[in-house]
């Protein structure tokens, strides 16, 4: 049976399902692309024991994943390289991507890595269309399928549209192989003790013509008087969001426990035979 469409904050339409029921919602991505649905919350992507074991290894930096940083004021770092913050040549990026993708896969039980497990669920939500790491510009190159993010006490993300990233020089090759409209997933490994919610605002941009509002010398919109659609995603669950079209942020984290998540950005390939993912 199909899950009922719910509404939050008077504008955001979403469905909430168990991972095993994803095949029964094969039109979910089509509904998101059409603007009739904005989010899908999926529970039981992983069980609690698997998430706890993964977090334990991440805390020990095992395996020794590539570590990069958000801007200092965000109180957060990445495992992996966020494409938005990579050097425009991407030489080091592609040199590191193969090892990173393999290490991420090895964090999980055999056959249950992010590309297989999360990618499989996403494909179920898109009528079987594969979700794969975007291919690089040269043979045997791939983008990093995802990044893992650690938000510390006071960590946050300001309001932004994901499609803003596409204006960066590092996106030049992706523009040639993928459509402009970006969506994303966020999978929670460990939720924050306080805060750390994904807050979505009823402010939209055209995915085909994003304008930067939260980078460099620009000022993001004042959302202090707006009621967001807020989601506190528990460990082992994920949210798929129309994050290229809808303004969103992460509320400040509080407490000693890190907010550990994985996040990938996603766009249809130009031929629409697959959806390409990157971190």
């Amino acid at each position: 049976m199909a899950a009922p469409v719910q509404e939050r904050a008077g504008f955001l339409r979403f469905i909430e399902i168990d991972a095993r029921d994803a095949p029964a919602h094969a039109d979910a991505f089509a509904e998101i692309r059409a603007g009739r649905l904005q989010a899908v919350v999926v529970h039981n992507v992983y069980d609690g024991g698997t998430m706890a074991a993964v977090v334990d290894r991440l805390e020990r930096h095992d395996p020794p994943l590539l570590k990069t940083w958000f801007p200092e004021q965000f109180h957060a770092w990445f495992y992996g390289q966020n494409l938005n913050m990579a050097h425009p040549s991407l030489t080091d990026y592609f040199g590191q991507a193969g090892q990173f993708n393999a290490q991420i896969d090895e964090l999980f039980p055999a056959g249950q890595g992010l590309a297989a497990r999360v990618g499989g669920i996403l494909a179920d939500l898109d009528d079987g269309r594969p979700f794969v790491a975007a291919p690089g510009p040269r043979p045997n190159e791939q983008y990093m399928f995802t990044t893992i993010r650690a938000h510390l006490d006071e960590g946050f993300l300001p309001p932004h549209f994901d499609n803003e990233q596409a204006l960066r020089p590092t996106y030049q090759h992706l523009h040639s192989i993928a459509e402009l409209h970006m969506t994303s997933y966020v999978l929670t490994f460990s939720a924050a003790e306080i805060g750390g919610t994904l807050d979505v605002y009823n402010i939209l941009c055209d995915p085909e013509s994003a304008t930067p509002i939260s980078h460099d010398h620009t000022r993001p919109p004042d959302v202090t008087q707006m009621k967001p659609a807020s989601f506190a995603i528990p460990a082992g669950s994920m949210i798929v969001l129309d994050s290229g079209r809808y303004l969103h942020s992460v509320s400040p984290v509080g407490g000693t426990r890190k907010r550990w998540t994985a996040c990938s950005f996603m766009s249809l390939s130009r031929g629409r035979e697959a959806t390409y993912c990157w971190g």
Side-chain angles (χ1 to χ4, degrees):
M1 180 181 297
V5 175
Q6 304 177 56
E7 188 174 282
R8 190 163 293 185
F11 72 93
L12 189 137
R13 292 167 58 82
F14 71 101
I15 58 173
E16 191 165 7
I17 65 171
D18 190 275
R20 67 174 179 270
D21 297 325
H25 300 84
D27 63 344
F29 269 95
E31 292 293 287
I32 289 173
R33 295 181 188 115
R36 293 186 290 267
L37 198 68
Q38 285 75 54
V40 180
V41 177
V42 185
H43 296 295
N44 294 311
V45 178
Y46 293 101
D47 62 48
T50 297
M51 290 288 87
V54 167
V55 168
D56 177 67
R57 292 187 65 187
L58 293 174
E59 292 281 4
R60 292 185 282 113
H61 202 185
D62 169 33
L65 296 157
L66 172 69
K67 187 175 182 179
T68 57
W69 296 90
F70 278 98
E72 183 178 359
Q73 65 269 28
F74 295 166
H75 297 274
W77 76 74
F78 298 97
Y79 283 143
Q81 175 66 69
N82 179 267
L83 189 62
N84 189 37
M85 301 177 187
H87 188 278
S89 74
L90 295 181
T91 301
D92 289 343
Y93 177 94
F94 286 117
Q96 297 161 334
Q99 181 180 19
F100 177 78
N101 286 338
Q103 289 175 327
I104 289 295
D105 190 56
E106 187 266 329
L107 269 174
F108 292 84
Q112 293 295 306
L114 294 177
R117 175 61 174 165
V118 174
I121 293 169
L122 296 173
D124 286 340
L125 295 172
D126 200 17
D127 201 26
R129 192 189 330 258
F131 281 66
V132 297
R138 288 168 290 274
N140 301 316
E141 285 184 341
Q142 282 187 327
Y143 286 80
M144 296 184 191
F145 180 78
T146 195
T147 57
I148 293 175
R149 298 152 176 232
H151 278 85
L152 311 178
D153 187 41
E154 300 184 352
F156 73 103
L157 287 178
H160 62 286
F161 299 108
D162 283 350
N163 265 51
E164 294 177 64
Q165 300 178 68
L167 303 171
R168 298 290 189 181
T170 46
Y171 274 72
Q172 183 176 358
H173 172 253
L174 270 176
H175 283 172
S176 71
I177 64 171
E179 296 186 2
L180 294 179
H181 183 192
M182 293 167 57
T183 56
S184 64
Y185 79 78
V186 177
L187 168 71
T188 299
F189 293 177
S190 175
E193 294 170 5
I194 302 168
T197 55
L198 177 63
D199 295 341
V200 188
Y201 303 92
N202 195 16
I203 298 178
L204 286 73
C205 79
D206 180 350
E208 301 297 313
S209 58
T211 300
I213 54 129
S214 63
H215 294 298
D216 302 330
H217 304 295
T218 58
R219 182 181 297 274
D222 182 6
V223 297
T224 56
Q225 303 304 312
M226 299 185 68
K227 180 181 179 180
S230 294
F231 292 88
I233 305 299
S237 297
M238 73 175 174
I239 184 169
V240 177
L241 179 67
D242 190 357
S243 53
R245 187 180 275 142
Y246 278 82
L247 191 74
H248 59 285
S249 64
V250 173
S251 67
V253 166
T256 58
R257 186 172 65 218
K258 296 182 186 71
R259 178 188 186 263
W260 285 106
T261 58
C263 176
S264 293
F265 307 105
M266 309 176 289
S267 290
L268 279 170
S269 64
R270 292 284 179 181
R272 295 201 159 197
E273 75 283 357
T275 293
Y276 291 152
C277 306
W278 64 94

